[in-house]
Amino acid sequence: MPDQPSHKPPSPAAGEAPAELRADARRNRERVLDAAREVFAARGVDAPMSAVARRAGVGVATLYRRFPTRSALVTAAFEDQLAVCASAFEEAMADPNPGHGLYTLLEKVCTTLVTDHGFETVFMAGFPEALHYDRERACAEERLAHLVQRARDAGQLREDFAPADISLLLLAVSGLAAQPPETALPAARRLLTYLFQSFQAHPPSRPAPLPPAPPLDLSGLHRPLPVRTATVRP
Amino acid sequence: MPDQPSHKPPSPAAGEAPAELRADARRNRERVLDAAREVFAARGVDAPMSAVARRAGVGVATLYRRFPTRSALVTAAFEDQLAVCASAFEEAMADPNPGHGLYTLLEKVCTTLVTDHGFETVFMAGFPEALHYDRERACAEERLAHLVQRARDAGQLREDFAPADISLLLLAVSGLAAQPPETALPAARRLLTYLFQSFQAHPPSRPAPLPPAPPLDLSGLHRPLPVRTATVRP
DNA sequence: GAGTAAGTGGAGGGTCTCGTCCACTTATGA
DNA sequence: TCATAAGTGGACGAGACCCTCCACTTACTC
């Protein structure tokens, strides 16, 4: 085995931030991620890979070389948003008023969920490909329980409130995400307000006013059937 | 043009209940509808048509002959459930206690939504192929507004309650429908209770107890990515 | 400026689903 | 029992998408 002097630097970190990519490759990677965010937000995370490639002005092969599976692309595309959620968590833990911290946290997360359809899917799917996901989740679970406990101890949550109600709330909000953001956002805010008023241990006899009602009527529910439209027949 | 004596009866009603089908055809139609309900509930309304046909023990052509488009099949398959909802509406209108009527109506509808994933999709999509849909919807809208107004007049709903909040509630519940029924059903009940307590005009200082919390934690949110899985590569 | 390996694009084979066509089967009525 | 038209099943062409392969291009090093 001949010793070949390698010209490459010793590849400092084989982590997830590939710093040793060639300049053009790095540039393309970014373009793909941008395109993915746009396409996924508009057409859902099951949009054709070729659509993402086209939007990025890149061949399909380039896309697959960088992100071998769809999940890898999806995960990478929404890492930033995920970081936002994580930092919101930190803030909530640091808030001296646990009830307020919890409310603010959920409002932030729900706003993100409802604004970006792609992210909603990813968040709800638990992006199983994300390396740190299991650790992340266990940690989140624990911290959330702690947050809830603190709020309940402070007399800010009713006795029979359960940590599962947080999941319940997230699922409920995700149901709004199919609507266009200009509807979904006020809807989410109003839903959160309703729920938080119910979560309170000692509701005031005259409940606080609600944020404005979303522009929703029964016809506003229209969500297109996920029909497999092959060819339009003549 | 020779006058051919037609042996067929004068085709009494060309409506949607094809009574003039041959016996075996009518039988097959029913089998297809049963299969469709099962397959759609299990795999969503975008399951392959061939899967429905196979399950019904019928060729694809038979299926397409009876239901030329997927929407037609979907609509027909869930007509019964729709009728249940409609009759629940009637009951609600007839209830002398408007608040109770409204609550019962929503509980019934939500239970159906959350129990049958196929129906949830159809309901939320507004099944645009259903002939009477537009009429139906306008009518529903009107009756719902009436119901809400009655309940508010009776002092059972808070002043700032809006009819749009009904849509909000339905969307929220539809977010639970992705969970398996044994989770989604208690979740829906609990969500409804929370919301109704918030809807009340004069909440008691000590809110009524909640139904049991659903078995949900953050990992329970896991919803599979709608990934386009083509071929498993070796 | 030249050598080289990393990077790239697009063609193409494979798979899945759609929806139609047509030769065969079967219920129905005389 | 038989004639007949309604009904049926499976094959099949078309289209969408997945993902890999390979000849070509380009950034980087000396």
Side-chain angles (χ1 to χ4, degrees):
Chain A
M1 187 197 286
D3 52 341
Q4 304 160 334
S6 169
H7 289 286
K8 275 165 55 177
S11 171
E16 61 209 64
E20 74 272 22
L21 278 182
R22 226 169 67 178
D24 55 343
R26 205 158 49 243
R27 209 178 317 132
N28 275 342
R29 202 188 115 99
E30 282 311 312
R31 291 170 70 182
V32 166
L33 285 178
D34 286 345
R37 274 184 282 266
E38 292 175 30
V39 171
F40 288 160
R43 305 176 48 178
V45 290
D46 57 347
M49 296 292 254
S50 56
V52 176
R54 205 176 323 120
R55 174 117 205 169
V58 149
V60 214
T62 303
L63 196 158
Y64 276 104
R65 164 177 284 254
R66 227 39 88 197
F67 308 99
T69 70
R70 174 186 233 91
S71 291
L73 175 58
V74 167
T75 305
F78 293 107
E79 233 166 23
D80 294 357
Q81 252 115 318
L82 218 60
V84 169
C85 287
S87 78
F89 227 126
E90 297 304 329
E91 282 180 46
M93 298 295 289
D95 196 313
N97 179 337
H100 178 263
L102 188 60
Y103 181 81
T104 310
L105 165 64
L106 288 176
E107 195 178 38
K108 271 184 205 158
V109 173
C110 290
T111 299
T112 315
L113 280 184
V114 134
T115 308
D116 185 330
H117 186 214
F119 182 64
E120 183 265 335
T121 313
V122 175
F123 186 90
M124 283 303 167
F127 33 87
E129 303 295 316
L131 284 188
H132 315 306
Y133 180 63
D134 274 348
R135 169 153 58 82
E136 208 60 75
R137 182 174 52 66
C139 181
E141 192 103 35
E142 198 176 308
R143 290 190 291 179
L144 203 53
H146 180 70
L147 209 53
V148 165
Q149 192 56 50
R150 269 213 301 157
R152 192 156 45 188
D153 289 348
Q156 295 178 305
L157 289 177
R158 56 195 291 174
E159 284 298 322
D160 45 2
F161 184 87
D165 289 327
I166 301 290
S167 305
L168 185 62
L169 182 148
L170 290 175
L171 282 173
V173 167
S174 82
L176 309 176
Q179 306 301 310
E182 61 270 22
T183 302
L185 196 54
R189 276 203 252 274
R190 194 158 162 116
L191 180 60
L192 275 181
T193 307
Y194 269 135
L195 285 179
F196 264 81
Q197 291 188 3
S198 262
F199 290 169
Q200 284 173 7
H202 307 293
S205 62
R206 189 193 197 85
L210 297 165
L216 268 178
D217 50 12
L218 283 194
S219 60
L221 296 184
H222 276 10
R223 189 195 301 174
L225 264 190
V227 172
R228 209 181 286 271
T229 49
T231 317
V232 184
R233 48 181 189 158
Chain B
M1 187 197 287
D3 53 341
Q4 304 160 336
S6 167
H7 289 286
K8 274 165 54 176
S11 171
E16 60 209 61
E20 74 270 25
L21 278 181
R22 225 169 68 176
D24 55 343
R26 205 158 50 242
R27 210 178 317 133
N28 275 342
R29 202 188 116 98
E30 281 312 311
R31 291 170 71 182
V32 165
L33 284 177
D34 286 344
R37 275 184 283 266
E38 291 174 30
V39 171
F40 288 159
R43 305 177 47 179
V45 290
D46 55 347
M49 296 291 255
S50 55
V52 176
R54 204 176 323 119
R55 174 117 204 169
V58 150
V60 213
T62 304
L63 195 159
Y64 276 105
R65 163 177 283 253
R66 225 41 85 197
F67 307 100
T69 71
R70 177 187 296 276
S71 290
L73 176 57
V74 167
T75 304
F78 292 108
E79 232 165 23
D80 294 358
Q81 252 115 314
L82 219 60
V84 169
C85 287
S87 78
F89 228 127
E90 298 305 329
E91 282 180 47
M93 299 295 291
D95 195 314
N97 179 338
H100 177 263
L102 189 59
Y103 181 82
T104 309
L105 165 63
L106 288 176
E107 194 178 38
K108 271 186 205 158
V109 172
C110 290
T111 300
T112 316
L113 280 184
V114 132
T115 308
D116 185 329
H117 185 214
F119 182 64
E120 184 264 336
T121 312
V122 175
F123 187 90
M124 284 304 167
F127 33 87
E129 303 296 317
L131 284 187
H132 315 308
Y133 180 63
D134 274 348
R135 168 153 59 83
E136 208 59 75
R137 182 175 51 67
C139 181
E141 192 104 34
E142 198 175 308
R143 289 191 290 180
L144 204 51
H146 180 70
L147 210 52
V148 166
Q149 192 56 50
R150 270 213 301 155
R152 193 157 44 188
D153 289 347
Q156 294 178 305
L157 289 177
R158 58 196 289 174
E159 285 296 323
D160 46 1
F161 183 88
D165 289 327
I166 300 289
S167 306
L168 184 62
L169 182 148
L170 290 175
L171 282 173
V173 168
S174 83
L176 309 177
Q179 306 300 312
E182 61 270 21
T183 302
L185 197 53
R189 277 203 250 274
R190 193 156 163 118
L191 180 60
L192 274 182
T193 308
Y194 269 135
L195 284 178
F196 264 82
Q197 291 189 3
S198 263
F199 291 168
Q200 284 174 9
H202 307 293
S205 62
R206 188 190 197 86
L210 297 166
L216 270 178
D217 52 11
L218 283 193
S219 60
L221 295 185
H222 275 11
R223 189 196 300 174
L225 263 190
V227 172
R228 211 180 285 271
T229 50
T231 318
V232 184
R233 47 181 187 158

